[in-house]
Amino acid sequence: MAKMLSRVAPWLASRRDPADPAGLSVRMLDGQDTPALKLLAQQDPVTNVFILAHLRATGTAGPTSGGAGVIGIFDDGVLAGACWAGANLVPVQLDPALAPLVAEAASSSGRRYASAFGPADAVLALNTELAELGHRAHEVRADQPLMVIEGPPVVQPNPGLGLGNIADFDRILPACAAMFEEEVGYSPYLGGREFYSRRVEGLIRQGHSMVHLNEAGEVVFKAELGAVTEDVTQIQGVWMNPLFRGQGLSASYMSAVVEKAQQIAPVTSLYVNGFNTRARSTYERVGFRQVGTFATVLF
């Protein structure tokens, strides 16, 4: 603990009179912390759409039935930063200087994390601290532009895109799994098929799955809204069937995704790997602009 406090000392010095005693504390949030967490996250509703969507769905900052929860960093009793700790780690308005405290709390929980994602400075600081605690990343994607569009897309939407139908679940699920494996390099079924299947089914039933099936029943294109609030949606899982790539279809499909997303919330967001220049170019053509930088660490 002394080592960690020495590493956050510069952050403290920038915030308080040197004569004032340090008042940092770390604990898991409970239901009574819900207003404070929501207020913290609303400082940047685009960046923090993941946690705001969680609060919207559950109504509480307290732990889930599965043991996931939110690590809170308090400065003299005021919530100064937080981090979702479930299957993934997701910083919320977390100053990178506080990463040692979050990493220690996350590591001591005994949970295994598939990834950390969010604002690049906080995520990369967390990764550095977790590495010292023995959590080794197998891939670090340090440059992922966070992009948004407000208002209609500038490319004509493809009329073939519709909402996913549960009757087509057996066609949509393999497309989702193919996208996942293509993106992260391993099957989403490694931890069991049931959990991932329930996730995909839930997105379809919520009206957050968008897909185009052709007359042969093939999924040509699909995407989901992975996080949804009344102000912002975040697109995830964008996938074009390899059989239909290279035909200039992506921009019109993405425009159709935006059109449907903006029936739910006025701001549509996504983040993309910096090295994926083709996808970035497509999103820019549609009307997306960069507003920040995310990073993802895969453990």
Side-chain angles (χ1 to χ4, degrees), residues 50-289:
F50 173 88
I51 197 66
L52 288 169
H54 170 75
L55 291 176
R56 185 186 190 212
T58 66
T60 180
T64 69
S65 59
V70 182
I71 300 166
I73 308 294
F74 291 83
D75 182 10
D76 282 346
V78 177
L79 186 63
C83 185
W84 168 259
N88 310 294
L89 293 169
V90 187
V92 181
Q93 297 300 109
L94 185 69
D95 190 296
L98 298 178
L101 299 175
V102 172
E104 175 65 23
S107 183
S108 64
S109 73
R111 295 184 69 92
R112 295 188 64 181
Y113 304 102
S115 71
F117 65 86
D121 54 356
V123 167
L124 297 176
L126 269 177
N127 182 48
T128 297
E129 300 301 329
L130 287 167
E132 291 198 7
L133 296 170
H135 300 264
R136 304 298 178 188
H138 75 77
E139 186 175 355
V140 177
R141 300 177 180 181
D143 177 22
Q144 297 180 308
L146 174 64
M147 308 181 79
V148 301
I149 180 172
E150 302 163 87
V154 297
V155 173
Q156 185 69 26
N158 190 312
L161 189 76
L163 295 180
N165 191 310
I166 199 65
D168 298 315
F169 176 77
D170 289 340
R171 294 182 175 91
I172 296 172
L173 179 63
C176 292
M179 177 283 306
F180 186 99
E181 188 161 357
E182 202 173 300
E183 177 68 16
V184 301
Y186 59 86
S187 170
Y189 303 144
L190 283 181
R193 185 186 181 98
E194 183 180 357
F195 177 81
Y196 187 73
S197 297
R198 285 203 312 268
R199 169 66 173 161
V200 173
E201 181 181 351
L203 290 167
I204 295 171
R205 293 192 183 279
Q206 293 167 44
H208 297 165
S209 165
M210 286 153 283
V211 63
H212 180 202
L213 279 76
N214 63 15
E215 292 181 357
E218 301 170 297
V219 174
V220 178
F221 175 93
K222 68 95 191 171
E224 294 84 40
L225 301 179
V228 174
T229 72
E230 61 186 12
D231 301 310
V232 182
T233 60
Q234 186 176 87
I235 299 170
Q236 68 171 32
V238 176
W239 184 79
M240 177 76 74
N241 187 322
L243 296 174
F244 300 94
R245 293 176 187 175
Q247 299 180 28
L249 300 174
S250 296
S252 65
Y253 278 124
M254 283 304 301
S255 290
V257 173
V258 170
E259 186 177 62
K260 294 187 182 305
Q262 291 187 350
Q263 294 173 13
I264 299 173
V267 179
T268 310
S269 70
L270 57 79
Y271 60 99
V272 58
N273 291 316
F275 57 77
N276 193 344
T277 54
R278 180 173 294 180
R280 290 176 63 181
S281 176
T282 295
Y283 301 148
E284 288 168 358
R285 281 180 57 205
V286 170
F288 283 87
R289 72 182 193 282

